[in-house]
Amino acid sequence: MPRIVASAPERISAAPGVQTRRKWSEHFRTVRAETECRAAHLSAEDQIVQSMADASPATWHRAHTTWFFETFLLKPHAPGYREFDERFGFLFNSYYVAAGPRHARPERGLITRPNVEEVAAYRTHVDAAVARLLDSADKATLEKIVPIIEIGLHHEQQHQELMLTDILHAFAQNPTSPAYDPDWRFPAFERGGGYAKIPAGIRSIGFDGDGFCFDNEQPAHQVLLQEAIIARNLVTNREWLEFIADGGYSTHDLWLSDGWAKVEAEGWQAPGYWSNIDGVWHTQTLSGLKPVDPAAPVLHISYYEADAFARWTGKHLPTEAEWEVAARAGLLSDAFGVAWQWTRSAYLPYPGYRAMEGALGEYNGKFMINQMVLRGSSLATPEGHARVSYRNFFPPPARWQFSGLRLVDYR
Ligand SMILES: [Fe+2]
């Protein structure tokens, strides 16, 4: 069974007492509080809206992450735990078939009850029960529950990012272009350019250290790399404007067949959220509609667009192995914290991969089809969530994430 836990059981059992309980209680409170901090920018109405099937209401994210702890931690491991509301399992199960039937994803925005106050009460109820469990668990129970708390917190951090990407999509549909946070600013990024050499050779990728990883990052394994050069920096809006000006969106032979079909069906002429106002490109950001900054890394592009852009430049998207080897060697600027970077690697199991046993085995493995891997992290990724071996994945047309790219070439 692949390891998914940060704290190996032997290390927990070596220090099963006060320190372990305190560490996980504090970590639990910190991560749960970040979710509420992100929600605090939103009105009750903002928290109910679902602007498309792929996006979920903020109140659903807040309830679903709570359901995760209730279902996988409290009900099996907290003696005498009282379920907050037996109807919530149906409403807030996302895709866990083993956890029972669930409400249809595209209709999450129709769930106006429970309202935001009731969801807040649900969170408080579960938080208190987790705190009691951590306080009272015996050593054997503690060893069982810490890995579940840990994956639950990483899961919650993933939903914290989705809360921002999903509300940004909703606000982008609003003609008044609301700001999620008027004080939000684009993160610092590297300027300039240049390429770094990745020598040919056999390298190791995947997670092989201490600490947490998802099962899809294992097993660590060897890969054979060709000699390549990889862009130190992310592709910028300036370069994307050149692509647009050169007819990138109207030149069919730059595009994969599925990508061209999407361009025609959706009328894509620019990245997601871009609009041309009196000849000036603007984009919806977390602080509202802003002029596109030519120097900043491009965001909100699909895999199809990333692939077409790379073809237009005569270069390529990196494989996820090239990306990871380059990142481990310190060759990449803005590897983390600005834009998830599309790779040309399909989201597939690593050699020897086995999904976790039980319901949590549905977390990653069953999605290893029809999606592409993105590496790094974005401006919306919570502190402490990124890793060099992290494998994010989305279907090729998706562009509501903070997704960008960097290029690679072979000479
Ligand atoms: Fe989830």
Side-chain angles (χ1 to χ4, degrees):
M1 179 173 141
R3 190 175 58 168
I4 57 150
V5 296
S7 309
E10 56 275 15
R11 277 196 285 127
I12 296 169
S13 55
V18 178
Q19 275 194 333
T20 302
R21 295 175 206 279
R22 185 182 302 142
K23 172 188 160 185
W24 287 101
S25 294
E26 285 177 8
H27 191 39
F28 183 82
R29 278 198 300 273
T30 303
V31 173
R32 295 281 284 170
E34 174 64 18
T35 303
E36 297 304 278
C37 196
R38 292 184 178 214
H41 293 278
L42 303 173
S43 71
E45 294 84 354
D46 294 334
Q47 292 199 43
I48 296 295
V49 72
Q50 180 177 27
S51 55
M52 64 166 172
D54 287 339
S56 298
T59 192
W60 186 90
H61 288 299
R62 293 172 67 205
H64 162 71
T65 48
T66 305
W67 167 86
F68 191 98
F69 286 112
E70 184 174 63
T71 303
F72 299 123
L73 177 70
L74 295 174
K75 285 163 81 172
H77 298 289
Y81 173 72
R82 180 179 55 82
E83 200 173 9
F84 183 79
D85 186 322
E86 64 183 18
R87 300 168 300 178
F88 283 14
F90 183 82
L91 292 179
F92 300 123
N93 177 1
S94 52
Y95 52 67
Y96 295 90
V97 177
R102 69 216 69 84
H103 184 64
R105 179 176 179 159
E107 296 173 8
R108 290 173 183 166
L110 302 178
I111 307 303
T112 58
R113 310 290 178 92
N115 63 24
V116 290
E117 287 83 14
E118 289 161 330
V119 167
Y122 181 35
R123 288 181 67 86
T124 302
H125 174 87
V126 165
D127 287 352
V130 172
R132 279 197 303 275
L133 177 60
L134 268 169
D135 273 350
S136 62
D138 59 27
K139 180 181 163 187
T141 305
L142 204 57
E143 286 183 8
K144 275 192 226 143
I145 66 171
V146 162
I148 302 168
I149 292 172
E150 187 161 45
I151 195 170
L153 293 176
H154 284 273
H155 170 254
E156 181 134 357
Q157 289 181 313
Q158 291 181 315
H159 281 275
Q160 288 167 0
E161 175 150 0
L162 293 172
M163 282 172 72
L164 298 196
T165 60
D166 294 0
I167 199 64
L168 185 69
H169 185 270
F171 284 170
Q173 316 310 310
N174 185 325
T176 69
S177 304
Y180 163 78
D181 175 3
D183 296 328
W184 178 86
R185 294 289 175 270
F186 201 92
F189 54 87
E190 288 294 324
R191 292 160 195 264
Y195 282 76
K197 184 174 168 183
I198 306 174
I202 296 171
R203 308 298 171 79
S204 184
I205 67 163
F207 185 85
D208 63 353
D210 291 329
F212 177 86
C213 75
F214 286 113
D215 60 3
N216 62 6
E217 298 164 55
Q218 292 187 312
H221 60 283
Q222 293 188 322
V223 292
L224 175 61
L225 297 190
Q226 307 302 312
E227 183 176 307
I229 55 170
I230 189 163
R232 294 187 186 278
N233 291 348
L234 301 171
V235 168
T236 64
N237 289 323
R238 178 177 289 110
E239 293 169 282
W240 208 272
L241 288 162
E242 291 168 8
F243 174 65
I244 294 172
D246 198 39
Y249 282 91
S250 52
T251 307
H252 72 88
D253 52 2
L254 293 175
W255 294 79
L256 293 166
S257 176
D258 288 355
W260 184 246
K262 199 74 181 165
V263 167
E264 291 200 307
E266 303 290 333
W268 285 351
Q269 298 181 354
Y273 306 151
W274 282 33
S275 54
N276 197 307
I277 304 172
D278 298 331
V280 180
W281 283 107
H282 287 66
T283 185
Q284 176 74 21
T285 73
L286 290 170
S287 53
L289 192 68
K290 302 287 180 192
V292 168
D293 175 2
V298 67
L299 295 173
H300 304 301
I301 53 162
S302 62
Y303 177 81
Y304 295 138
E305 288 163 291
D307 176 84
F309 179 91
R311 192 163 295 111
W312 174 71
T313 64
K315 298 186 173 66
H316 310 269
L317 296 175
T319 65
E320 63 171 321
E322 289 165 345
W323 189 99
E324 185 171 329
V325 166
R328 286 182 185 277
L331 303 179
L332 307 182
S333 300
D334 299 327
F336 301 99
V338 180
W340 288 104
Q341 296 136 64
W342 287 108
T343 73
R344 69 172 198 268
S345 298
Y347 180 48
L348 294 172
Y350 282 167
Y353 169 81
R354 291 279 182 273
M356 295 167 61
E357 290 169 9
L360 287 175
E362 296 183 50
Y363 201 112
N364 283 308
K366 71 181 188 181
F367 299 109
M368 291 175 173
I369 185 71
N370 296 334
Q371 312 211 44
M372 302 301 285
V373 172
L374 301 94
R375 289 304 200 100
S377 67
S378 87
L379 55 86
T381 308
E383 185 88 23
H385 188 68
R387 271 187 305 284
V388 74
S389 57
Y390 199 106
R391 306 174 78 200
N392 201 352
F393 51 92
F394 278 97
R399 58 181 195 167
W400 90 107
Q401 297 301 302
F402 295 99
S403 48
L405 76 160
R406 73 177 68 235
L407 297 172
V408 75
D409 204 1
Y410 309 89
R411 288 175 187 161

PDB file of all heavy atoms in Angstrom, residues 94-124:
ATOM      1  N   SER A  94     -18.565  14.086  -2.453  1.00  0.00           N
ATOM      2  CA  SER A  94     -18.214  14.571  -3.790  1.00  0.00           C
ATOM      3  C   SER A  94     -18.286  13.440  -4.807  1.00  0.00           C
ATOM      4  O   SER A  94     -19.165  13.428  -5.666  1.00  0.00           O
ATOM      5  CB  SER A  94     -16.812  15.187  -3.783  1.00  0.00           C
ATOM      6  OG  SER A  94     -15.880  14.272  -3.207  1.00  0.00           O
ATOM      7  N   TYR A  95     -17.342  12.494  -4.704  1.00  0.00           N
ATOM      8  CA  TYR A  95     -17.282  11.433  -5.718  1.00  0.00           C
ATOM      9  C   TYR A  95     -16.949  10.069  -5.120  1.00  0.00           C
ATOM     10  O   TYR A  95     -16.574   9.161  -5.855  1.00  0.00           O
ATOM     11  CB  TYR A  95     -16.254  11.792  -6.802  1.00  0.00           C
ATOM     12  CG  TYR A  95     -14.872  12.160  -6.291  1.00  0.00           C
ATOM     13  CD1 TYR A  95     -14.053  11.224  -5.680  1.00  0.00           C
ATOM     14  CD2 TYR A  95     -14.371  13.446  -6.462  1.00  0.00           C
ATOM     15  CE1 TYR A  95     -12.791  11.549  -5.227  1.00  0.00           C
ATOM     16  CE2 TYR A  95     -13.101  13.798  -6.009  1.00  0.00           C
ATOM     17  CZ  TYR A  95     -12.318  12.838  -5.399  1.00  0.00           C
ATOM     18  OH  TYR A  95     -11.060  13.176  -4.959  1.00  0.00           O
ATOM     19  N   TYR A  96     -17.089   9.911  -3.803  1.00  0.00           N
ATOM     20  CA  TYR A  96     -16.700   8.660  -3.154  1.00  0.00           C
ATOM     21  C   TYR A  96     -17.851   7.659  -3.232  1.00  0.00           C
ATOM     22  O   TYR A  96     -18.775   7.696  -2.432  1.00  0.00           O
ATOM     23  CB  TYR A  96     -16.280   8.916  -1.702  1.00  0.00           C
ATOM     24  CG  TYR A  96     -15.038   9.775  -1.628  1.00  0.00           C
ATOM     25  CD1 TYR A  96     -15.139  11.169  -1.575  1.00  0.00           C
ATOM     26  CD2 TYR A  96     -13.771   9.197  -1.664  1.00  0.00           C
ATOM     27  CE1 TYR A  96     -14.008  11.962  -1.533  1.00  0.00           C
ATOM     28  CE2 TYR A  96     -12.627   9.984  -1.629  1.00  0.00           C
ATOM     29  CZ  TYR A  96     -12.757  11.362  -1.564  1.00  0.00           C
ATOM     30  OH  TYR A  96     -11.629  12.152  -1.543  1.00  0.00           O
ATOM     31  N   VAL A  97     -17.763   6.773  -4.223  1.00  0.00           N
ATOM     32  CA  VAL A  97     -18.825   5.786  -4.421  1.00  0.00           C
ATOM     33  C   VAL A  97     -18.941   4.901  -3.181  1.00  0.00           C
ATOM     34  O   VAL A  97     -20.046   4.566  -2.738  1.00  0.00           O
ATOM     35  CB  VAL A  97     -18.532   4.939  -5.681  1.00  0.00           C
ATOM     36  CG1 VAL A  97     -19.582   3.856  -5.853  1.00  0.00           C
ATOM     37  CG2 VAL A  97     -18.484   5.850  -6.918  1.00  0.00           C
ATOM     38  N   ALA A  98     -17.784   4.579  -2.586  1.00  0.00           N
ATOM     39  CA  ALA A  98     -17.798   3.710  -1.407  1.00  0.00           C
ATOM     40  C   ALA A  98     -18.485   4.374  -0.211  1.00  0.00           C
ATOM     41  O   ALA A  98     -18.900   3.688   0.717  1.00  0.00           O
ATOM     42  CB  ALA A  98     -16.367   3.321  -1.025  1.00  0.00           C
ATOM     43  N   ALA A  99     -18.592   5.693  -0.237  1.00  0.00           N
ATOM     44  CA  ALA A  99     -19.219   6.412   0.893  1.00  0.00           C
ATOM     45  C   ALA A  99     -20.713   6.620   0.675  1.00  0.00           C
ATOM     46  O   ALA A  99     -21.356   7.275   1.486  1.00  0.00           O
ATOM     47  CB  ALA A  99     -18.510   7.751   1.117  1.00  0.00           C
ATOM     48  N   GLY A 100     -21.240   6.079  -0.426  1.00  0.00           N
ATOM     49  CA  GLY A 100     -22.692   6.141  -0.610  1.00  0.00           C
ATOM     50  C   GLY A 100     -23.135   7.097  -1.701  1.00  0.00           C
ATOM     51  O   GLY A 100     -22.315   7.768  -2.334  1.00  0.00           O
ATOM     52  N   PRO A 101     -24.470   7.175  -1.934  1.00  0.00           N
ATOM     53  CA  PRO A 101     -25.000   8.023  -3.008  1.00  0.00           C
ATOM     54  C   PRO A 101     -24.779   9.503  -2.688  1.00  0.00           C
ATOM     55  O   PRO A 101     -24.537   9.874  -1.535  1.00  0.00           O
ATOM     56  CB  PRO A 101     -26.491   7.684  -3.021  1.00  0.00           C
ATOM     57  CG  PRO A 101     -26.780   7.122  -1.675  1.00  0.00           C
ATOM     58  CD  PRO A 101     -25.531   6.476  -1.199  1.00  0.00           C
ATOM     59  N   ARG A 102     -24.884  10.337  -3.736  1.00  0.00           N
ATOM     60  CA  ARG A 102     -24.552  11.752  -3.563  1.00  0.00           C
ATOM     61  C   ARG A 102     -25.363  12.614  -4.518  1.00  0.00           C
ATOM     62  O   ARG A 102     -25.851  12.134  -5.554  1.00  0.00           O
ATOM     63  CB  ARG A 102     -23.059  11.985  -3.750  1.00  0.00           C
ATOM     64  CG  ARG A 102     -22.544  11.791  -5.173  1.00  0.00           C
ATOM     65  CD  ARG A 102     -21.163  11.183  -5.191  1.00  0.00           C
ATOM     66  NE  ARG A 102     -21.204   9.793  -4.727  1.00  0.00           N
ATOM     67  CZ  ARG A 102     -21.500   8.761  -5.513  1.00  0.00           C
ATOM     68  NH1 ARG A 102     -21.756   8.940  -6.784  1.00  0.00           N
ATOM     69  NH2 ARG A 102     -21.545   7.535  -5.040  1.00  0.00           N
ATOM     70  N   HIS A 103     -25.447  13.865  -4.155  1.00  0.00           N
ATOM     71  CA  HIS A 103     -26.143  14.858  -4.964  1.00  0.00           C
ATOM     72  C   HIS A 103     -25.335  15.141  -6.233  1.00  0.00           C
ATOM     73  O   HIS A 103     -24.103  15.103  -6.219  1.00  0.00           O
ATOM     74  CB  HIS A 103     -26.271  16.148  -4.136  1.00  0.00           C
ATOM     75  CG  HIS A 103     -27.061  17.227  -4.802  1.00  0.00           C
ATOM     76  ND1 HIS A 103     -28.397  17.096  -5.096  1.00  0.00           N
ATOM     77  CD2 HIS A 103     -26.709  18.456  -5.214  1.00  0.00           C
ATOM     78  CE1 HIS A 103     -28.826  18.196  -5.671  1.00  0.00           C
ATOM     79  NE2 HIS A 103     -27.827  19.040  -5.749  1.00  0.00           N
ATOM     80  N   ALA A 104     -26.041  15.462  -7.333  1.00  0.00           N
ATOM     81  CA  ALA A 104     -25.358  15.684  -8.606  1.00  0.00           C
ATOM     82  C   ALA A 104     -24.483  16.944  -8.549  1.00  0.00           C
ATOM     83  O   ALA A 104     -24.931  18.007  -8.112  1.00  0.00           O
ATOM     84  CB  ALA A 104     -26.392  15.830  -9.722  1.00  0.00           C
ATOM     85  N   ARG A 105     -23.269  16.786  -9.019  1.00  0.00           N
ATOM     86  CA  ARG A 105     -22.304  17.888  -8.961  1.00  0.00           C
ATOM     87  C   ARG A 105     -22.787  19.166  -9.638  1.00  0.00           C
ATOM     88  O   ARG A 105     -22.641  20.259  -9.079  1.00  0.00           O
ATOM     89  CB  ARG A 105     -20.985  17.400  -9.590  1.00  0.00           C
ATOM     90  CG  ARG A 105     -19.914  18.454  -9.617  1.00  0.00           C
ATOM     91  CD  ARG A 105     -18.609  17.895 -10.169  1.00  0.00           C
ATOM     92  NE  ARG A 105     -17.610  18.945 -10.202  1.00  0.00           N
ATOM     93  CZ  ARG A 105     -16.308  18.732 -10.233  1.00  0.00           C
ATOM     94  NH1 ARG A 105     -15.835  17.514 -10.222  1.00  0.00           N
ATOM     95  NH2 ARG A 105     -15.472  19.748 -10.278  1.00  0.00           N
ATOM     96  N   PRO A 106     -23.370  19.078 -10.850  1.00  0.00           N
ATOM     97  CA  PRO A 106     -23.768  20.341 -11.514  1.00  0.00           C
ATOM     98  C   PRO A 106     -24.899  21.075 -10.789  1.00  0.00           C
ATOM     99  O   PRO A 106     -25.196  22.213 -11.139  1.00  0.00           O
ATOM    100  CB  PRO A 106     -24.250  19.880 -12.899  1.00  0.00           C
ATOM    101  CG  PRO A 106     -23.710  18.502 -13.070  1.00  0.00           C
ATOM    102  CD  PRO A 106     -23.621  17.917 -11.703  1.00  0.00           C
ATOM    103  N   GLU A 107     -25.514  20.420  -9.798  1.00  0.00           N
ATOM    104  CA  GLU A 107     -26.661  21.032  -9.104  1.00  0.00           C
ATOM    105  C   GLU A 107     -26.354  21.456  -7.675  1.00  0.00           C
ATOM    106  O   GLU A 107     -27.257  21.693  -6.878  1.00  0.00           O
ATOM    107  CB  GLU A 107     -27.847  20.052  -9.146  1.00  0.00           C
ATOM    108  CG  GLU A 107     -28.310  19.820 -10.574  1.00  0.00           C
ATOM    109  CD  GLU A 107     -29.363  18.737 -10.694  1.00  0.00           C
ATOM    110  OE1 GLU A 107     -29.857  18.264  -9.666  1.00  0.00           O
ATOM    111  OE2 GLU A 107     -29.666  18.367 -11.848  1.00  0.00           O
ATOM    112  N   ARG A 108     -25.061  21.591  -7.394  1.00  0.00           N
ATOM    113  CA  ARG A 108     -24.680  22.013  -6.033  1.00  0.00           C
ATOM    114  C   ARG A 108     -25.175  23.426  -5.719  1.00  0.00           C
ATOM    115  O   ARG A 108     -25.434  23.759  -4.573  1.00  0.00           O
ATOM    116  CB  ARG A 108     -23.171  21.925  -5.852  1.00  0.00           C
ATOM    117  CG  ARG A 108     -22.675  20.491  -5.807  1.00  0.00           C
ATOM    118  CD  ARG A 108     -21.152  20.395  -5.803  1.00  0.00           C
ATOM    119  NE  ARG A 108     -20.744  18.989  -5.831  1.00  0.00           N
ATOM    120  CZ  ARG A 108     -19.510  18.574  -6.099  1.00  0.00           C
ATOM    121  NH1 ARG A 108     -18.555  19.454  -6.370  1.00  0.00           N
ATOM    122  NH2 ARG A 108     -19.223  17.287  -6.097  1.00  0.00           N
ATOM    123  N   GLY A 109     -25.266  24.254  -6.740  1.00  0.00           N
ATOM    124  CA  GLY A 109     -25.698  25.640  -6.537  1.00  0.00           C
ATOM    125  C   GLY A 109     -27.174  25.762  -6.191  1.00  0.00           C
ATOM    126  O   GLY A 109     -27.643  26.851  -5.838  1.00  0.00           O
ATOM    127  N   LEU A 110     -27.911  24.655  -6.300  1.00  0.00           N
ATOM    128  CA  LEU A 110     -29.341  24.684  -5.956  1.00  0.00           C
ATOM    129  C   LEU A 110     -29.569  24.439  -4.469  1.00  0.00           C
ATOM    130  O   LEU A 110     -30.699  24.548  -3.982  1.00  0.00           O
ATOM    131  CB  LEU A 110     -30.094  23.630  -6.782  1.00  0.00           C
ATOM    132  CG  LEU A 110     -29.970  23.777  -8.305  1.00  0.00           C
ATOM    133  CD1 LEU A 110     -30.717  22.663  -9.007  1.00  0.00           C
ATOM    134  CD2 LEU A 110     -30.477  25.138  -8.754  1.00  0.00           C
ATOM    135  N   ILE A 111     -28.498  24.094  -3.763  1.00  0.00           N
ATOM    136  CA  ILE A 111     -28.635  23.754  -2.337  1.00  0.00           C
ATOM    137  C   ILE A 111     -28.502  25.042  -1.510  1.00  0.00           C
ATOM    138  O   ILE A 111     -27.408  25.388  -1.045  1.00  0.00           O
ATOM    139  CB  ILE A 111     -27.566  22.715  -1.923  1.00  0.00           C
ATOM    140  CG1 ILE A 111     -27.604  21.506  -2.854  1.00  0.00           C
ATOM    141  CG2 ILE A 111     -27.788  22.287  -0.474  1.00  0.00           C
ATOM    142  CD1 ILE A 111     -28.938  20.813  -2.914  1.00  0.00           C
ATOM    143  N   THR A 112     -29.593  25.754  -1.353  1.00  0.00           N
ATOM    144  CA  THR A 112     -29.551  26.980  -0.535  1.00  0.00           C
ATOM    145  C   THR A 112     -29.752  26.681   0.946  1.00  0.00           C
ATOM    146  O   THR A 112     -29.528  27.533   1.791  1.00  0.00           O
ATOM    147  CB  THR A 112     -30.636  27.961  -0.996  1.00  0.00           C
ATOM    148  OG1 THR A 112     -31.909  27.311  -0.894  1.00  0.00           O
ATOM    149  CG2 THR A 112     -30.408  28.392  -2.444  1.00  0.00           C
ATOM    150  N   ARG A 113     -30.221  25.476   1.239  1.00  0.00           N
ATOM    151  CA  ARG A 113     -30.313  25.005   2.634  1.00  0.00           C
ATOM    152  C   ARG A 113     -29.583  23.680   2.722  1.00  0.00           C
ATOM    153  O   ARG A 113     -29.854  22.808   1.901  1.00  0.00           O
ATOM    154  CB  ARG A 113     -31.772  24.830   3.069  1.00  0.00           C
ATOM    155  CG  ARG A 113     -32.668  25.995   2.791  1.00  0.00           C
ATOM    156  CD  ARG A 113     -32.347  27.168   3.678  1.00  0.00           C
ATOM    157  NE  ARG A 113     -33.217  28.311   3.351  1.00  0.00           N
ATOM    158  CZ  ARG A 113     -34.390  28.567   3.950  1.00  0.00           C
ATOM    159  NH1 ARG A 113     -34.854  27.763   4.877  1.00  0.00           N
ATOM    160  NH2 ARG A 113     -35.091  29.631   3.627  1.00  0.00           N
ATOM    161  N   PRO A 114     -28.675  23.495   3.682  1.00  0.00           N
ATOM    162  CA  PRO A 114     -28.348  24.398   4.769  1.00  0.00           C
ATOM    163  C   PRO A 114     -27.767  25.723   4.287  1.00  0.00           C
ATOM    164  O   PRO A 114     -27.021  25.747   3.297  1.00  0.00           O
ATOM    165  CB  PRO A 114     -27.295  23.616   5.570  1.00  0.00           C
ATOM    166  CG  PRO A 114     -26.679  22.685   4.577  1.00  0.00           C
ATOM    167  CD  PRO A 114     -27.788  22.301   3.661  1.00  0.00           C
ATOM    168  N   ASN A 115     -28.107  26.767   4.997  1.00  0.00           N
ATOM    169  CA  ASN A 115     -27.573  28.078   4.642  1.00  0.00           C
ATOM    170  C   ASN A 115     -26.175  28.253   5.242  1.00  0.00           C
ATOM    171  O   ASN A 115     -25.656  27.351   5.898  1.00  0.00           O
ATOM    172  CB  ASN A 115     -28.544  29.184   5.082  1.00  0.00           C
ATOM    173  CG  ASN A 115     -28.724  29.218   6.594  1.00  0.00           C
ATOM    174  OD1 ASN A 115     -27.861  28.765   7.339  1.00  0.00           O
ATOM    175  ND2 ASN A 115     -29.846  29.758   7.037  1.00  0.00           N
ATOM    176  N   VAL A 116     -25.593  29.415   5.025  1.00  0.00           N
ATOM    177  CA  VAL A 116     -24.187  29.582   5.445  1.00  0.00           C
ATOM    178  C   VAL A 116     -24.022  29.476   6.956  1.00  0.00           C
ATOM    179  O   VAL A 116     -23.008  28.979   7.445  1.00  0.00           O
ATOM    180  CB  VAL A 116     -23.583  30.907   4.925  1.00  0.00           C
ATOM    181  CG1 VAL A 116     -23.373  30.869   3.429  1.00  0.00           C
ATOM    182  CG2 VAL A 116     -24.425  32.095   5.312  1.00  0.00           C
ATOM    183  N   GLU A 117     -25.025  29.925   7.708  1.00  0.00           N
ATOM    184  CA  GLU A 117     -24.917  29.819   9.175  1.00  0.00           C
ATOM    185  C   GLU A 117     -24.963  28.352   9.615  1.00  0.00           C
ATOM    186  O   GLU A 117     -24.233  27.943  10.517  1.00  0.00           O
ATOM    187  CB  GLU A 117     -26.053  30.584   9.880  1.00  0.00           C
ATOM    188  CG  GLU A 117     -25.916  32.101   9.842  1.00  0.00           C
ATOM    189  CD  GLU A 117     -26.427  32.695   8.536  1.00  0.00           C
ATOM    190  OE1 GLU A 117     -27.130  31.982   7.781  1.00  0.00           O
ATOM    191  OE2 GLU A 117     -26.112  33.864   8.248  1.00  0.00           O
ATOM    192  N   GLU A 118     -25.818  27.579   8.956  1.00  0.00           N
ATOM    193  CA  GLU A 118     -25.903  26.163   9.327  1.00  0.00           C
ATOM    194  C   GLU A 118     -24.618  25.416   8.948  1.00  0.00           C
ATOM    195  O   GLU A 118     -24.176  24.521   9.667  1.00  0.00           O
ATOM    196  CB  GLU A 118     -27.133  25.528   8.668  1.00  0.00           C
ATOM    197  CG  GLU A 118     -28.433  26.024   9.284  1.00  0.00           C
ATOM    198  CD  GLU A 118     -29.659  25.793   8.410  1.00  0.00           C
ATOM    199  OE1 GLU A 118     -29.539  25.778   7.167  1.00  0.00           O
ATOM    200  OE2 GLU A 118     -30.752  25.653   8.991  1.00  0.00           O
ATOM    201  N   VAL A 119     -24.025  25.811   7.836  1.00  0.00           N
ATOM    202  CA  VAL A 119     -22.752  25.192   7.453  1.00  0.00           C
ATOM    203  C   VAL A 119     -21.669  25.588   8.448  1.00  0.00           C
ATOM    204  O   VAL A 119     -20.814  24.768   8.835  1.00  0.00           O
ATOM    205  CB  VAL A 119     -22.372  25.566   6.005  1.00  0.00           C
ATOM    206  CG1 VAL A 119     -20.920  25.202   5.706  1.00  0.00           C
ATOM    207  CG2 VAL A 119     -23.309  24.857   5.025  1.00  0.00           C
ATOM    208  N   ALA A 120     -21.690  26.826   8.904  1.00  0.00           N
ATOM    209  CA  ALA A 120     -20.723  27.255   9.928  1.00  0.00           C
ATOM    210  C   ALA A 120     -20.909  26.434  11.206  1.00  0.00           C
ATOM    211  O   ALA A 120     -19.924  26.012  11.840  1.00  0.00           O
ATOM    212  CB  ALA A 120     -20.884  28.747  10.220  1.00  0.00           C
ATOM    213  N   ALA A 121     -22.163  26.179  11.577  1.00  0.00           N
ATOM    214  CA  ALA A 121     -22.430  25.374  12.781  1.00  0.00           C
ATOM    215  C   ALA A 121     -21.938  23.935  12.588  1.00  0.00           C
ATOM    216  O   ALA A 121     -21.417  23.308  13.526  1.00  0.00           O
ATOM    217  CB  ALA A 121     -23.924  25.393  13.093  1.00  0.00           C
ATOM    218  N   TYR A 122     -22.085  23.419  11.357  1.00  0.00           N
ATOM    219  CA  TYR A 122     -21.576  22.076  11.026  1.00  0.00           C
ATOM    220  C   TYR A 122     -20.058  22.039  11.222  1.00  0.00           C
ATOM    221  O   TYR A 122     -19.515  21.114  11.834  1.00  0.00           O
ATOM    222  CB  TYR A 122     -21.967  21.760   9.582  1.00  0.00           C
ATOM    223  CG  TYR A 122     -21.561  20.414   9.031  1.00  0.00           C
ATOM    224  CD1 TYR A 122     -21.540  19.262   9.815  1.00  0.00           C
ATOM    225  CD2 TYR A 122     -21.232  20.300   7.671  1.00  0.00           C
ATOM    226  CE1 TYR A 122     -21.186  18.037   9.281  1.00  0.00           C
ATOM    227  CE2 TYR A 122     -20.885  19.078   7.123  1.00  0.00           C
ATOM    228  CZ  TYR A 122     -20.856  17.948   7.927  1.00  0.00           C
ATOM    229  OH  TYR A 122     -20.511  16.737   7.378  1.00  0.00           O
ATOM    230  N   ARG A 123     -19.387  23.058  10.736  1.00  0.00           N
ATOM    231  CA  ARG A 123     -17.930  23.114  10.890  1.00  0.00           C
ATOM    232  C   ARG A 123     -17.549  23.154  12.369  1.00  0.00           C
ATOM    233  O   ARG A 123     -16.634  22.448  12.806  1.00  0.00           O
ATOM    234  CB  ARG A 123     -17.339  24.315  10.135  1.00  0.00           C
ATOM    235  CG  ARG A 123     -17.372  24.149   8.615  1.00  0.00           C
ATOM    236  CD  ARG A 123     -16.761  25.349   7.883  1.00  0.00           C
ATOM    237  NE  ARG A 123     -15.328  25.474   8.102  1.00  0.00           N
ATOM    238  CZ  ARG A 123     -14.386  24.844   7.388  1.00  0.00           C
ATOM    239  NH1 ARG A 123     -14.734  24.025   6.395  1.00  0.00           N
ATOM    240  NH2 ARG A 123     -13.101  25.030   7.646  1.00  0.00           N
ATOM    241  N   THR A 124     -18.240  23.964  13.143  1.00  0.00           N
ATOM    242  CA  THR A 124     -17.935  24.080  14.572  1.00  0.00           C
ATOM    243  C   THR A 124     -18.152  22.743  15.287  1.00  0.00           C
ATOM    244  O   THR A 124     -17.333  22.326  16.116  1.00  0.00           O
ATOM    245  CB  THR A 124     -18.841  25.157  15.206  1.00  0.00           C
ATOM    246  OG1 THR A 124     -18.604  26.384  14.515  1.00  0.00           O
ATOM    247  CG2 THR A 124     -18.546  25.333  16.679  1.00  0.00           C
TER     248      THR A 124
END
